[in-house]
Amino acid sequence: MTQDKTQEAFASGSVSRAVLRNALPAMAAMLMVMIYNIADTFFIGQTNDDLQVAAVSLATPVFLIFMSLGTLFGIGCPVLRG
């Protein structure tokens, strides 16, 4: 979604609809990352090494936090700039 369309969506339309329109792609991206991490955990689990599985399990939430912060600033900053 371009900056003009995002600003127009928030300026002229319903706020809840505009937020949903911006949030759905971010939620889809996070879902794909979770599926990717589940596949990683499965294949690393085949090694029977508990420490490697624990490392993947601990890194996943940290990665999701970074991804959500990037999405927050990626969607929020262009709207505030307008």
Side-chain angles (χ1 to χ4, degrees):
M1 183 176 284
T2 64
Q3 182 178 352
D4 294 335
K5 288 184 181 180
T6 302
Q7 287 178 350
E8 181 181 323
F10 277 101
S12 63
S14 166
V15 173
S16 60
R17 183 178 173 106
V19 168
L20 185 64
R21 189 173 180 187
N22 282 300
L24 285 178
M27 291 182 341
M30 286 187 180
L31 180 65
M32 293 305 294
V33 168
M34 287 302 299
I35 291 170
Y36 177 77
N37 283 325
I38 289 171
D40 279 348
T41 304
F42 173 76
F43 287 112
I44 291 173
Q46 300 297 314
T47 64
N48 292 325
D49 187 2
D50 296 337
L51 292 177
Q52 289 182 2
V53 174
V56 172
S57 298
L58 288 174
T60 299
V62 174
F63 183 72
L64 285 175
I65 289 170
F66 286 139
M67 188 173 173
S68 64
L69 287 173
T71 302
L72 172 75
F73 290 114
I75 292 174
C77 289
V79 173
L80 292 176
R81 229 181 90 205

